[in-house]
Amino acid sequence: MTGPNPLPAPSAALAKVFTHIADNQDSFVQRVMDYVRHPSISAQNIGIREVAALLVAMLEKLGFAAETIPTAGHPMVLGRWDKAPGAPTVLLYGHYDVQPPDPLEAWVSPPFEPAIRDGRIYARGIGDNKGQHFAQLLAIESHLAVHGRLPCNVIFLLEGEEEIGSPRIADFVAEHRDKLKADFVVTADGPLHESGTPTICYGVRGMASFELRVRHAGRDLHSGNFGGVAPNPIWTLVHLLGTMKNAAGEITIDGLADAVIPPTANELAAAARLPLDLDTVKAELGLDRLDVPAGRGYYERLMFHPTLTINGLHGGYGGPGTKTVLPHEAFAKCDIRLVEAMTPADVLAKVAAHVKRHAPEVEFLPGNGMLPSKTPLESPYGETIRRAIQIAQGITPLEYPAVGGSLPDYVFTKTLGIPAFVVPYANADEANHAPNENLKLDCFVNGIRTGAALLDQLGRQEG
Amino acid sequence: MTGPNPLPAPSAALAKVFTHIADNQDSFVQRVMDYVRHPSISAQNIGIREVAALLVAMLEKLGFAAETIPTAGHPMVLGRWDKAPGAPTVLLYGHYDVQPPDPLEAWVSPPFEPAIRDGRIYARGIGDNKGQHFAQLLAIESHLAVHGRLPCNVIFLLEGEEEIGSPRIADFVAEHRDKLKADFVVTADGPLHESGTPTICYGVRGMASFELRVRHAGRDLHSGNFGGVAPNPIWTLVHLLGTMKNAAGEITIDGLADAVIPPTANELAAAARLPLDLDTVKAELGLDRLDVPAGRGYYERLMFHPTLTINGLHGGYGGPGTKTVLPHEAFAKCDIRLVEAMTPADVLAKVAAHVKRHAPEVEFLPGNGMLPSKTPLESPYGETIRRAIQIAQGITPLEYPAVGGSLPDYVFTKTLGIPAFVVPYANADEANHAPNENLKLDCFVNGIRTGAALLDQLGRQEG
């Protein structure tokens, strides 16, 4: 980027760390390949404890007070370095478990035999998430190697169940809040923008899922003999769902949006600054149109408004040709994405009340829930991260006030009450959860440099 | 029935026929059992031609000019007796094909080894429809045995594809109308009222089926990343279907009911006279409620109003638990039951136009269609049949202006332009299309007597 505001340059201390990273790049690549060679598949309980032990050993070697902490599921790995009194404390969150590698036959090289091709490391977990938190570890190691100490305090929290939905993270954080006292959280996970530009994400939407079930007659009926006199569960669902969201896409469940805090002017402005080519989005998704109401931005809709999605609806005959049946049962599965300050409990109660009022014969089954999370754009740590990326990568990151999906970031922003940022290091085509998962060498090195620059920046602030 | 209007008594000529029937009852039962011993399964093309040939031989033995007439499918059997100049001609329609007997293991005695238990004959086809048209044949035979001639002219038309949807009957009747010149049609098929009371049915609803298909994105999407901005095909169907029928059950497709001819005062009165116990209907169907609008009768709704049934709707995730997917395709299969004077072509065109107007991205696929049929309650042949039943069975039949289901009776009322009546002989629990299909011996004999009384009544009228 050129112009009146040149990007900041590294301090002399950081420049030495960058040199160390450059000098050791080949060895770092070898070591991350050694790390991902160890499977750690949470869904299949393969290698989890071995990799947790490996991480504790690595953290201890760096001078961290490290431990595995048991949970009802796979253990958490916690490491603490607190020898910078007066400096801020950053909590680095990641996860050491990986997705199952199936289908194996689709991999060019085996998932747990890392290989380099065309400037990328290929291996299960290299992008999601082992390669990314290993980059953070190497940033710490490089600082220690050059300066013998870190410029700030660091807590490393690595989960072993992220790929199975983080079922234990909320309770764990609530229970161990004393060990997790930090000024802010950085999660290096997920991909960069598809242009290759780094990003900082300040929020995620929450989620509440539910199912609607209807059963009318005791069996399927003949549509001629009973059509028009016997109630039809699919019509019941169609009419009920029609009261929940109108054709313009606006949710019409009574009171559902009562808790919504509208976006700030800064958030709206940040969303409007994001690059967006709707034609490219449509082409990529194979869509003729997007449901973006006139006068509202695509990102505004996705970041700041709740949405109600029917995940599936099934009832009656679905085979070839026709069958003149009047079905006797049907169901719909739905999820609502939540924005600040909606809660799953309140939302599900309001859906339940709406269903009871409009179609009392429909059974309402509440499902999973997750709170939304948002860190203010004005948080000073946002500026810290932005400067670190500028110094390490020579580019100004895109800043997302929120993304549409859901992650348990609320355990940091709400349970711990501290700002949380997602700062991905992986290339957009990392193929996470898919065969031939990969991480570009450039991205890996930029991750190490960014981690190092962040520590350096924090050493210039008070905690 | 007692009261001021005693039921009519048989003529002396008919009384002799009744005596013949009583004297030969055991032999008639043996012969119908011999008839249904021959399988004639249209769906599997088993025994069709053998049974058609058997029928031609039986008709010829009775002095009918009989033939099998080839179609693109299974042949029609046509027999004509026209030696009563000046007397009316009745066309007796039936079908000689039967349903496949599966599941075989559910039959107490094998489906093609007829057996008598507890006053019923058990065999595939004994109720639907071979036992019923065989009763008509025996009525003719008895008249001929006693009097040497029939009191009226008779055309016997037996189809071999009724159980596979009568795909050839419309073209056949149109093509052979010269051979089918009759004054009215009687179909002895289906069951009596569940109380055992005989019925006369004057009409059937027509039918038009269609499918709605929607495909938005090229693949399923993540509901967090795209919920609220990418269109959801299930929501598209929900909102489209919501414009087609309201929550009160009224069809709201523009112009759909334009052609509807409201029921006559006689038809409404006849419907109101039918026995109806809504609590029993609900209990039998396992329903808490019926969709009968206040001020309208159950039968009125079923007989005189079109109905729109969703036969099936499927899209997205239907497995256990939750999946936060935004599906990319969905479909709904529907049928509309038609009343006079709606036509499938007009109805499907109006649905197509409605879909195009409200949701142009939805694909409309027209399906099968069948015209409705109605014979005026005032037809003099209604009175003829009523008297025949009163004389033969000693009870006044229930008269249905129409039933909710669909049969191709329009080929008689519209293509041939003559009144058509359904006059069932089988017990209500005949288990047609099911294992252990059966016909009560009483019902079989009443069928022969009713057929005989009808011929006798017609001999007293001019054609």
Side-chain angles (χ1 to χ4, degrees), chain B residues 88-449:
Chain B
T89 302
V90 59
L91 193 164
L92 301 174
Y93 165 80
H95 64 92
Y96 66 88
D97 65 325
V98 302
Q99 283 277 324
D102 318 84
L104 287 174
E105 62 278 12
W107 287 77
V108 172
S109 49
F112 297 109
E113 297 177 22
I116 296 177
R117 293 191 296 278
D118 300 328
R120 298 170 190 238
I121 308 170
Y122 287 85
R124 170 56 86 227
I126 188 69
D128 183 12
N129 166 257
K130 288 157 94 173
Q132 299 203 46
H133 62 248
F134 200 79
Q136 290 174 312
L137 275 172
L138 291 173
I140 290 165
E141 179 187 297
S142 298
H143 259 286
L144 290 167
V146 172
H147 300 295
R149 59 178 297 278
L150 297 181
C152 63
N153 302 300
V154 176
I155 300 174
F156 230 109
L157 175 63
L158 294 165
E159 185 187 350
E161 298 187 305
E162 199 270 355
E163 297 294 2
I164 55 173
S166 297
R168 248 71 62 166
I169 190 76
D171 285 350
F172 176 85
V173 167
E175 202 177 319
H176 297 274
R177 62 175 78 221
D178 287 350
K179 292 181 170 174
L180 300 169
K181 275 186 185 156
D183 294 290
F184 71 111
V185 178
V186 170
T187 301
D189 200 6
L192 308 173
H193 186 263
E194 54 194 16
S195 62
T197 309
T199 63
I200 306 174
C201 172
Y202 289 74
V204 292
R205 289 198 289 189
M207 209 257 291
S209 68
F210 62 90
E211 187 168 331
L212 303 171
R213 287 203 163 263
V214 203
R215 184 177 190 136
H216 286 314
R219 61 175 192 279
D220 283 358
L221 305 177
H222 187 292
S223 72
N225 296 347
F226 296 103
V229 294
N232 181 326
I234 305 181
W235 276 118
T236 301
L237 283 183
V238 162
H239 288 127
L240 171 59
L241 289 164
T243 67
M244 296 170 76
K245 179 163 146 175
N246 65 26
E250 292 156 344
I251 300 178
T252 49
I253 297 170
D254 316 283
L256 194 91
D258 285 356
V260 171
I261 298 173
T264 65
N266 276 353
E267 287 171 340
L268 286 172
R273 273 196 303 273
L274 292 169
L276 177 66
D277 177 352
L278 289 178
D279 288 337
T280 302
V281 174
K282 284 188 283 188
E284 201 275 319
L285 301 181
L287 284 171
D288 295 329
R289 66 175 169 92
L290 288 163
D291 275 343
V292 181
R296 278 193 190 170
Y298 175 92
Y299 284 121
E300 184 187 338
R301 174 90 168 194
L302 208 51
M303 294 174 176
F304 309 127
H305 291 272
T307 52
L308 169 53
T309 297
I310 303 172
N311 308 126
L313 195 162
H314 294 274
Y317 184 67
T322 60
K323 186 173 177 185
T324 52
V325 67
L326 195 165
H328 78 296
E329 52 189 1
F331 65 92
K333 289 169 183 268
C334 302
D335 75 53
I336 296 180
R337 299 287 167 165
L338 316 181
V339 298
E340 290 294 345
M342 302 169 83
T343 66
D346 179 63
V347 160
L348 291 174
K350 277 170 175 152
V351 178
H354 183 96
V355 171
K356 196 168 181 182
R357 192 156 49 244
H358 290 270
E361 72 265 43
V362 172
E363 188 184 6
F364 170 78
L365 299 162
N368 304 328
M370 193 178 281
L371 288 162
S373 172
K374 198 187 277 179
T375 289
L377 285 176
E378 298 77 15
S379 165
Y381 294 107
E383 169 67 16
T384 306
I385 296 167
R386 188 182 317 124
R387 285 179 63 87
I389 291 171
Q390 288 172 327
I391 292 167
Q393 303 191 42
I395 188 169
T396 297
L398 301 170
E399 301 196 39
Y400 286 73
V403 292
S406 304
L407 291 170
D409 280 15
Y410 73 92
V411 302
F412 306 123
T413 54
K414 295 195 161 89
T415 308
L416 297 183
I418 56 178
F421 305 85
V422 179
V423 186
Y425 295 161
N427 35 293
D429 57 352
E430 61 171 324
N432 55 336
H433 296 209
N436 304 310
E437 181 175 348
N438 67 87
L439 181 64
K440 286 187 178 173
L441 293 171
D442 285 355
C443 290
F444 177 57
V445 174
N446 276 336
I448 306 172
R449 287 169 58 93

Side-chain angles (χ1 to χ4, degrees), chain A residues 60-184:
Chain A
E60 284 178 339
K61 197 170 168 196
L62 295 174
F64 277 58
E67 58 186 325
T68 57
I69 304 182
T71 71
H74 301 325
M76 303 281 174
V77 172
L78 185 69
R80 299 161 51 84
W81 197 98
D82 54 5
K83 299 163 195 165
T89 301
V90 59
L91 192 164
L92 302 173
Y93 165 80
H95 64 92
Y96 67 88
D97 65 326
V98 302
Q99 282 277 324
D102 317 84
L104 287 174
E105 63 277 13
W107 287 78
V108 173
S109 50
F112 297 109
E113 297 177 23
I116 296 178
R117 293 190 298 278
D118 300 329
R120 298 171 190 239
I121 308 169
Y122 287 85
R124 171 55 87 227
I126 189 70
D128 183 11
N129 168 257
K130 287 158 92 172
Q132 299 204 45
H133 62 246
F134 200 79
Q136 290 174 312
L137 274 172
L138 291 172
I140 291 165
E141 179 186 297
S142 298
H143 259 287
L144 289 168
V146 173
H147 299 295
R149 58 178 296 282
L150 297 180
C152 62
N153 302 300
V154 177
I155 300 174
F156 231 109
L157 174 63
L158 294 165
E159 186 188 349
E161 298 187 305
E162 200 269 355
E163 296 295 3
I164 53 172
S166 298
R168 248 71 61 167
I169 190 78
D171 286 349
F172 177 85
V173 168
E175 201 177 318
H176 296 274
R177 61 177 75 224
D178 286 350
K179 291 180 169 174
L180 300 168
K181 275 186 185 156
D183 293 289
F184 71 111

Side-chain angles (χ1 to χ4, degrees), chain A residues 263-287:
Chain A
T264 65
N266 275 353
E267 287 170 340
L268 286 172
R273 273 196 303 272
L274 291 169
L276 176 66
D277 178 350
L278 289 179
D279 289 336
T280 303
V281 173
K282 284 190 282 189
E284 202 274 321
L285 301 181
L287 285 171

